Amino acid sequence: MKQIIRSLLRQFIFWILFFDVSRIVFLIYYSGQLSTQKISFFEILGTFYYSFPLDMAVACYFLIIPFFILALQLFFNVKWLNVVNKIYTSVLVFMYSLSVAGELGIYEEWQSKLSVKAVKYLEHPAEVYNSAQTGSFFLLIAILILLTAAGIVCYVKWFHRDVAVTKRNPWYTGVFLLLTPGLLALGSRGGVQEIPINQSESYFSHQGILNDVSVNNAFNFFVSFIENYRVIDKNPYHFMDSGQARDIVKGIYRTEKDTTLCVLNNSKPNIVLVILESFSADLIESLGAKPGITPEFKKLEKEGLLFTRLYSSGMRSEQGMASIFGGFPSHPISCSVVQPEKYPALPKLPELIKETGYFTSFYFGGQLIYGNIKGYIYSNGFDRIVEGTDFPRDFPRGKLGIPDGYVLDYLAKELGKNQQPFFSAVFTISSHSPYDQPYEKPLTWGGSENDFINSAYYTDHCLGEFFKTVRNTAWYKNTLFVLLADHSHSSYYNWYPGQKQYRRIPMLLLGGALKEEYRGTVCNKLGNNYDFPATLLTQLGISDTAFHWSKNLLNPYSPEFAYFSNENGYGWIRPGMQYSLDIGKEWIYADEVPAGKKELMKKEGEAYLQCVFEEYLAQ
């Protein structure tokens, strides 16, 4: 029995070491780039520490087949099962080595890990050979051969031991067969935490190359495949000729005049972006909510500029992050935030603002691994990132993290220490299930959404306390605060997800940097949360051309439309009209659309989704 357990442990250790050796090969191959970026030796060592959780997860996945082989050997003492184990491991060693060689080949140009997109490119080896330098091509072939050979030889010589069970203890056998699958499952999900492990677990540095080398190749490729296997060959939302679709979208964005309302006292204020988790418009009384849910927000409206016709393009936080920081609309099937190889193609609002002299920071009371948000936040180039484990240990914690009150209080104290001007974003957490905020629940109505509206009441209370604190600071008078939801949430009104009311969210600009004449006013421009980058950048006098999906909501001439994605379709909103289509469920939702306008609404929505998805595939 002991040899069975030792065999499994040896194989686990082999894979951890093999992953690290592969990592060393990458670091040596790109040592010139590491030197150019002046990355220290100790930073490089961090890749081996932060890579372990993902390496462990992949090792546990790889050991599933060996477990079944060993389980059979408990009952059948046949030599060929040892051969099967060696062949299986050898095949995996070759495949992983191939991923290493492939990544070495593409990284210099793509600056991203191996993905389904790259493998699609490798389907044409002649083109790969012709486009690569001959020396580099044969060097990669040599690395593939050497790494594969070294891995197989080391495994067979030092880690593999033939198993021959002669004595069987029923008790130990039962424990092994029952306990081992649970341990492998636990290891493959990264532990007992609320959110299963993903690539973000290995992100730790502001240097993108170190994060890339930390992320396990097999894990990243698996995620890329799962997210894209349905769209590997073609765009499933191809409704018309691509040129026609682009012309329609170009017409949708046509703007009569490039101008804007200037709502700020100066063009370089401090900026504090409060991203409100799941904050639907149905929480805001002035946007149609029942009274009493967010009384502090109602007070803040009197000193701010409220956007009344704003919609979230997606339904999840990773989609919201791509919209808010990347100006990229959500779409069905997947999201760019989940796939690090797509980050280089996305414009990055914090990075652009940082280039003009801003200090940038991001705060979140939980763990950012959900939806791979942590990886995406690191890719945005924030100077400082603070998440759950970075806050003081004595802060109380719920299931998902630190309640909003403690995070906002901490933020209020931290902002005054920042170099000015600063751009600081904070992502709230308490209005996300399981709603375990440490506060009273005074709202007794709402039915199934009672916990949600009480959580919003708590976050609203925390916002009120936050503003009481920051109003007394010296930097407040030169600061713009933006309260913006990442996405909406189902509400007590029971809207259907295909209805625009379900997707409506608030955005409020306020603070000392807002001109007096715009305080207590509203903007009724129809738009999305991915319009935030263009709207903000225009106020700061920074070019927004990189954010071509984003429009300036403060331009009186900007086009009136909003878009959102369904699970397998789209929603399209024009003034007084909405049209939603879910292809998979084959339903159509049209509200107040005249008969003569339905075909136009359908055509615009289809063209928009088609072009958005085409760009996603090309990233």
Side-chain angles (χ1 to χ4, degrees), residues 374-438:
K374 180 178 180 179
Y376 179 65
I377 293 301
Y378 267 95
S379 78
N380 272 268
F382 283 98
D383 292 304
R384 189 178 186 209
I385 297 172
V386 181
E387 58 176 326
T389 54
D390 303 316
F391 286 89
R393 292 186 178 181
D394 59 346
F395 278 14
R397 284 165 167 79
K399 259 185 127 176
L400 286 184
I402 302 168
D404 291 341
Y406 296 89
V407 173
L408 290 173
D409 182 62
Y410 182 86
L411 175 66
K413 296 172 183 174
E414 287 291 300
L415 291 176
K417 303 175 186 177
N418 287 344
Q419 163 196 322
Q420 296 189 50
F422 56 76
F423 173 88
S424 185
V426 59
F427 185 24
T428 67
I429 194 173
S430 296
S431 49
H432 191 290
S433 63
Y435 312 122
D436 52 0
Q437 68 274 4

Side-chain angles (χ1 to χ4, degrees), residues 298-359:
K298 185 176 181 179
K299 295 176 186 175
L300 294 174
E301 287 176 36
K302 297 176 182 177
E303 49 189 278
L305 171 59
L306 177 67
F307 291 75
T308 63
R309 298 168 70 202
L310 200 71
Y311 297 86
S312 63
S313 65
M315 297 180 66
R316 300 187 304 274
S317 292
E318 69 271 24
Q319 294 173 319
M321 294 298 167
S323 293
I324 292 170
F325 292 127
F328 194 69
S330 304
H331 49 76
I333 299 179
S334 185
C335 177
S336 301
V337 170
V338 184
Q339 304 163 75
E341 66 271 13
K342 293 186 179 292
Y343 295 169
L346 290 172
K348 299 171 180 65
L349 178 64
E351 193 171 72
L352 193 58
I353 291 177
K354 181 179 173 179
E355 290 174 0
T356 65
Y358 276 76
F359 174 84

Side-chain angles (χ1 to χ4, degrees), residues 1 45 55 95-96 106-107 110 163 166 178 181 207 237 251 289 301 456-457 494 514 537 602 615:
M1 186 64 203
L45 284 181
D55 286 353
M95 293 177 66
Y96 197 87
I106 70 167
Y107 194 83
W110 292 19
V163 172
T166 56
L178 292 174
Q207 302 289 347
Y237 305 107
E301 287 176 36
Y457 181 89
N494 297 315
L514 186 69
L537 290 173
K602 180 175 183 289
E615 183 168 322

Side-chain angles (χ1 to χ4, degrees), residues 51-65:
S51 63
F52 180 75
L54 272 188
D55 286 353
M56 177 186 69
V58 173
C60 288
Y61 277 117
F62 283 2
L63 291 177
I64 292 174
I65 297 300

